Amino acid sequence: MENINQLAAGLLRDYAADVAARVVRTDFETLGQIAADLIAAKERGATVFTAGNGGSGATASHMCNDLVKGCRVHGREGFRAQCLVDSSPIMTCLANDFSYDDVFAIQLRTFARRGDIFIGFSGSGNSENVLRAAKAAKELGMLVIGFSGRDGGKLAPLCDRVVIAPTDSMEQLEDMHMLYEHALVCIMHGILQDRWGVEYINYPDPERHFTAALFDFDGTVSLIREGWREIMIPYFTEVLSALNTGESPEALRALVADFVDKLTGKQTIFQCMRLDEEVQKRGRAACDPLVYKQEYLRRLGIHIADRVKGLEDGSIAPEALLVPGAKDFLKALRAAGIRCYLASGTDEVDVLREARLLGVDQYFDGGVHGARDEILECSKELVIRDLLENGDIKPHQLLSFGDGYVEIELVKNVGGYSFGVASDEARKKGINEWKRQRLTAAGADAIIPDFTGYARIIHDVKEGI
């Protein structure tokens, strides 16, 4: 038995080494194009159909599993995918009543549409039912992708894309097909992290007839103040550290970050008031919160000075400091009959100036609203209250878009529908996972990274998913 073990171990190493030496001769350029085809199909809402026989059928089924589940990112749905092998009743019915050669083609003619994708697995490239399915797919206007081996057989010329495993061994080529499938899923999962998409926690109901949209400004529309949090939290931590209470800088920073984040969306003065409460809790005299606010704004002003100057003198294009797609989305909302309102926790004079510099002030027919030192009520709450009391809309007709707790909670509390904008302000693409987590916790109905996919948002709120 020991000799058999040693013999088997050596043979297994040889088998693996042979597969590894052969698989590197794969046409990876075509495999990369298939990844791009699949992602494009996902983004246009197309369906991927797979098929094969025996081991190839198992790979086809496994691929659908990975497309549906393995390609979920940021809570979004995976691919629309269907393996034509998976339903035993359908397969046996069609084979018995018609022909086994037609079991896949009939299903495609029943379920598929122009623009969908058919992926056929056939080690020999000569499986008749896969060939007939490929021909039907071409007639339907589908993209046909083949995975084969040896010389590609009759399948290769029927395909728009074909990857032929570089081996004559059926076992090895089936190994390679599974490797290709897993490799595709892994790299697509990574690519999809930064692709635009919507994570729906609650689907929008078009029967609500949305007529108004409330927008936050910083981080939702504007990137001028990107990095403000990295100014406020260290400054507030510095104030508390100077009290010499013995608390560690890490503990104080965590405390500050918690209340700053929870109050994000309200006027800056609220965060400064909370800072003063923490100072008083530690036995120190009260300080006018405006003092803290003025120092914070001084530091922030230094951080954003070049951005503002660049917008003013034209050396920076407004698009460079807008959340991607914001301006086009505002235009589309207006065209769709949805009136837009802007409400920010930033001082109103600054919001008005910055919205003008970015060229978006004209799209807020409901007005641009910000913080005023003489008003201590939440500016966003005031806008919502006025909107519902004096505007011709009902609470369920209100949409909101924001990257902070406050606007999400306020709109949800009155019965509106909230999109959390988990924008990655530094990279200007993809999701900020930290934002996503806290916006979801605040009750957001949906999460988006930015507005580049605005056409889908308009479609979904007006016509449904």
Side-chain angles (χ1 to χ4, degrees), residues 161-335:
R161 316 260 187 250
V162 62
V163 175
I164 300 173
T167 179
D168 291 332
S169 164
M170 185 62 70
E171 290 76 18
Q172 288 188 353
L173 68 85
E174 287 185 351
D175 290 338
M176 293 182 196
H177 287 175
M178 184 58 76
L179 184 147
Y180 300 153
E181 185 273 311
H182 276 157
L184 282 168
V185 168
C186 287
I187 65 104
M188 289 192 298
H189 185 276
I191 292 170
L192 288 168
Q193 298 283 340
D194 283 342
R195 299 292 290 182
W196 194 90
V198 185
E199 174 189 0
Y200 279 117
I201 296 111
N202 302 299
Y203 290 117
D205 180 2
E207 296 301 316
R208 293 169 67 164
H209 302 294
F210 297 106
T211 58
L214 178 70
F215 281 80
D216 177 43
F217 188 57
D218 297 310
T220 300
V221 174
S222 170
L223 297 175
I224 292 175
R225 295 176 179 243
E226 182 272 320
W228 69 267
R229 190 173 177 270
E230 287 67 39
I231 304 295
M232 179 178 282
I233 291 175
Y235 166 49
F236 284 8
T237 302
E238 177 187 315
V239 170
L240 294 177
S241 295
L243 302 179
N244 296 316
T245 61
E247 297 166 277
S248 71
E250 295 76 17
L252 290 173
R253 182 180 176 86
L255 169 74
V256 169
D258 183 64
F259 74 71
V260 165
D261 292 339
K262 286 181 177 176
L263 292 170
T264 295
K266 286 192 173 184
Q267 295 96 305
T268 304
I269 194 67
F270 281 89
Q271 291 155 324
C272 297
M273 291 165 63
R274 178 61 188 275
L275 173 62
D276 190 51
E277 289 175 12
E278 295 296 333
V279 169
Q280 292 183 61
K281 283 181 185 178
R282 288 157 177 77
R284 302 303 194 271
C287 176
D288 186 345
L290 283 173
V291 173
Y292 297 128
K293 178 181 174 181
Q294 289 164 1
E295 175 58 16
Y296 160 69
L297 291 177
R298 183 190 70 79
R299 297 184 184 201
L300 179 62
I302 295 171
H303 178 68
I304 68 172
D306 288 344
R307 300 172 187 172
V308 174
K309 182 176 182 298
L311 289 170
E312 290 175 336
D313 65 21
S315 61
I316 296 178
E319 288 71 21
L321 291 172
L322 279 167
V323 169
K327 185 179 288 187
D328 288 336
F329 182 45
L330 291 168
K331 293 178 184 177
L333 285 172
R334 174 186 279 176

Side-chain angles (χ1 to χ4, degrees), residues 443-459:
D445 293 296
I447 302 292
I448 55 176
D450 52 48
F451 304 107
T452 53
Y454 68 88
R456 182 178 172 189
I457 301 173
I458 298 287
H459 174 274

